[in-house]
Amino acid sequence: MNNALETLDHRKHSDKMGKENSREAEIVIQGGTLLTMVEGDSPIHDALLTIRGNRIMDIRSGRHPDPSDAEIIDARDGIILPGLVNAHGHTAMTLFRGFADDLPLKEWLFTKIFPAESAFLNPDSVYWGALLGCLEMIASGTTTISDGYFYQDATAKAFQKAGIRALVAQGVIDFPAPGVPDPAENLDVGRRFIERWLHGPDRIRPGLFCHSLTTCSERTLQGAMQISRDFHVPLQIHLSETKAEVDEVFSRTGTRPVFYLDALALLSENLIAVHGVHLQDEEIERMGLRRTGVVHCPESNMKLASGVARTSRMVEAGIPLGIGTDGAASNNNLDLFREMDTAAKLGKVYTLNPTNMGAGTVLKMATLWGARILGLEQEIGTLEVGKKADVIVVDLRSPHLTPLYHPLSSLVYSASGGDVKDVIVDGKILMKDRKMTQLDGEEIMARVKEISAKIKL
Ligand SMILES: [Zn+2]
């Protein structure tokens, strides 16, 4: 954490900023235990975190000397931590939550999800589905979502309204897709989407999302990577999610998926690989070497019986590792607290080693490491002076969070999203004392119920 000198220098800086922009609103979070999630930092008790504009201006112990002009967030009996980063999702798939469960991935995808998406997705349904996802994510402490789907202008507009931070990636697939009836246009649609949003609101960053190696050709994959490089935006892909997918790639290319990607020059820091369930040691080593990030989606992998990603092996190999919920149709919730609990326990049971995937590791996956994968490490992922103010407060006043010995353990093994009390993104309060400030939950749920009443196959 800050030493005394840094704090002093910072105060001078913040005084100066205060005079220059004295009308800028200040938010003060005080009381409770603060976890910066900076490597080596100890928890700060009786914490005081000051936000001005969209940035964190001060972090220390104590009380604010003059809180009269500030909006106060009371964090007594709470834990203050960085907002969570959901590094992979398809937010508008909340429309299909519970629509098709207990099926194998291929059947689920080709007989249920793809036909339903083709029949029922349009800009309006995607907008309301994405808003419902935002409502659920904000209520459970997620402040950043990395999304890949179709009709992404509608998704980006929903994220803009909700106030959440997002990487919004246009889906690319070599089949007729929602909003992209001619697959020959898929890359042009992606390029135009990036051009529209590249210089838009800072919170919303555009990108591309190739569906998988079995649904995108070599030409499509290379074209998508070229566009990503041209605009300096990440490219996401589902990778080695099932054994069947690996077998199909191997029989077509004569090599395993990671080496195929490397041969196409796609394996790089610019690529975000989602799932990575079926990776051999040599593939994990290669991904570590190329610094390609992996997003672990344990609940989706469990529900579709895809297998168990070898997360501790990936961490050892130096792979940047994040955590994601995947879409609500394969989870079926967007609560990252539940996902962290699952990731920690699955990592232990799979290796028969209870020291694997400790609470501290999975909480890093959901904060700093997730931010790193999305290229946002300099801005978010930890609570540090100067960083963007994406902060949440977890309320400890519940039987299942009493007593408190180790904050990290309580967050990962005992808390759930419903324990999040306050959520701030980019210096704006999105939820205070469990009340949404930007979104009308009743309206959003009513609209999604109307839309879902028509979804039948
Ligand atoms: Zn996915």
Side-chain angles (χ1 to χ4, degrees):
M1 219 9 262
N2 311 318
N3 61 34
L5 272 177
E6 278 169 346
T7 305
L8 198 65
D9 282 343
H10 159 66
R11 276 192 213 137
K12 273 188 213 156
H13 179 64
S14 60
D15 285 345
K16 189 163 162 270
M17 295 277 288
K19 276 169 200 153
E20 281 167 3
N21 197 359
S22 57
R23 275 175 296 176
E24 201 164 37
E26 203 169 78
I27 298 170
V28 170
I29 305 176
Q30 60 184 19
T33 301
L34 184 143
L35 304 176
T36 66
M37 294 310 292
V38 173
E39 195 73 49
D41 276 5
S42 302
I44 298 172
H45 300 289
D46 194 21
L48 175 68
L49 183 146
T50 308
I51 295 165
R52 194 171 301 147
N54 64 352
R55 296 201 181 265
I56 297 171
M57 299 304 285
D58 197 10
I59 300 174
R60 57 195 159 97
S61 282
R63 314 299 290 170
H64 195 279
D66 177 20
S68 53
D69 289 337
E71 172 136 23
I72 305 289
I73 305 269
D74 183 358
R76 281 174 297 173
D77 299 314
I79 298 176
I80 306 161
L81 74 157
L84 304 184
V85 178
N86 187 348
H88 179 70
H90 315 285
T91 309
M93 283 189 89
T94 52
L95 295 170
F96 306 116
R97 188 198 315 269
F99 173 68
D101 295 327
D102 308 326
L103 292 171
L105 185 136
K106 213 161 181 179
E107 190 182 341
W108 173 80
L109 205 53
F110 285 91
T111 69
K112 296 288 181 182
I113 298 300
F114 282 163
E117 286 179 339
S118 146
F120 300 105
L121 289 188
N122 55 58
D124 186 63
S125 62
V126 167
Y127 176 76
W128 288 103
L131 275 183
L132 180 66
C134 289
L135 193 63
E136 185 184 358
M137 287 191 285
I138 292 165
S140 53
T142 291
T143 54
T144 298
I145 166 71
S146 174
D147 183 276
Y149 212 44
F150 301 104
Y151 292 117
Q152 287 298 66
D153 287 298
T155 302
K157 282 177 195 159
F159 291 165
Q160 211 177 345
K161 179 173 174 58
I164 205 164
R165 191 180 301 284
L167 173 64
V168 191
Q170 169 67 35
V172 173
I173 188 166
D174 286 334
F175 293 110
V180 196
D182 180 1
E185 307 242 312
N186 56 14
L187 292 175
D188 287 338
V189 169
R191 178 185 286 275
R192 288 197 297 272
F193 170 74
I194 294 172
E195 285 169 349
R196 279 196 297 280
W197 288 90
L198 195 61
H199 303 293
D202 178 56
R203 272 189 303 102
I204 311 288
R205 300 192 182 189
L208 290 183
F209 162 55
C210 282
H211 182 264
S212 73
L213 292 183
T214 56
T215 50
C216 293
S217 69
E218 205 166 295
R219 185 192 144 275
T220 299
L221 293 166
Q222 288 185 313
M225 182 48 96
Q226 191 53 52
I227 294 170
S228 294
R229 289 200 178 109
D230 289 348
F231 291 100
H232 305 286
V233 297
L235 172 64
Q236 305 179 52
I237 189 165
H238 290 137
L239 178 71
S240 299
E241 181 176 1
T242 62
K243 187 172 177 303
E245 174 196 333
V246 174
D247 291 346
E248 192 177 327
V249 172
F250 193 86
S251 69
R252 204 182 71 221
T253 67
T255 188
R256 291 186 63 87
V258 168
F259 298 117
Y260 174 59
L261 276 174
D262 206 18
L264 297 180
L266 260 74
L267 212 59
S268 67
E269 272 181 310
N270 210 40
L271 188 74
I272 301 172
V274 180
H275 299 306
V277 172
H278 297 276
L279 298 178
Q280 291 184 340
D281 281 348
E282 299 75 21
E283 293 180 287
I284 291 175
E285 295 302 327
R286 184 69 62 89
M287 292 184 85
L289 202 65
R290 300 278 188 259
R291 306 289 300 156
T292 300
V294 170
V295 183
H296 181 39
C297 302
E299 295 195 349
S300 174
N301 297 156
M302 288 165 70
K303 184 158 179 278
L304 293 164
S306 302
V308 185
R310 298 162 65 205
T311 44
S312 47
R313 185 75 194 79
M314 292 183 201
V315 174
E316 281 165 21
I319 290 177
L321 191 63
I323 186 166
T325 57
D326 214 352
S330 64
N331 188 306
N332 292 357
N333 64 77
L334 307 181
D335 181 346
L336 271 182
F337 282 89
R338 290 175 67 171
E339 206 74 33
M340 286 194 287
D341 181 43
T342 303
K345 289 173 180 165
L346 194 60
K348 297 173 198 309
V349 74
Y350 183 65
T351 55
L352 299 180
N353 180 354
T355 69
N356 257 351
M357 301 303 287
T361 300
V362 295
L363 198 58
K364 274 190 272 190
M365 287 166 66
T367 52
L368 179 61
W369 293 359
R372 184 173 295 160
I373 286 182
L374 306 188
L376 298 173
E377 186 184 359
Q378 301 305 317
E379 298 280 33
I380 58 164
T382 55
L383 298 182
E384 292 180 81
V385 170
K387 274 197 165 181
K388 294 277 175 68
D390 289 10
V391 190
I392 63 173
V393 179
V394 174
D395 191 353
L396 295 172
R397 292 169 300 174
S398 290
H400 63 279
L401 291 169
T402 306
L404 180 75
Y405 293 111
H406 303 292
L408 295 173
S409 295
S410 292
L411 289 172
V412 171
Y413 298 121
S414 307
S416 69
D419 297 310
V420 176
K421 184 174 85 70
D422 309 290
V423 175
I424 296 169
V425 178
D426 212 39
K428 197 166 183 179
I429 299 173
L430 303 188
M431 183 170 79
K432 188 173 184 185
D433 290 326
R434 298 251 357 121
K435 288 191 182 63
M436 292 287 157
T437 64
Q438 305 297 307
L439 296 179
D440 180 343
E442 294 302 324
E443 183 196 12
I444 294 166
M445 288 187 280
R447 291 299 293 266
V448 171
K449 276 183 198 165
E450 269 172 41
I451 294 166
S452 68
K454 295 177 195 140
I455 298 182
K456 290 184 185 80
L457 283 180

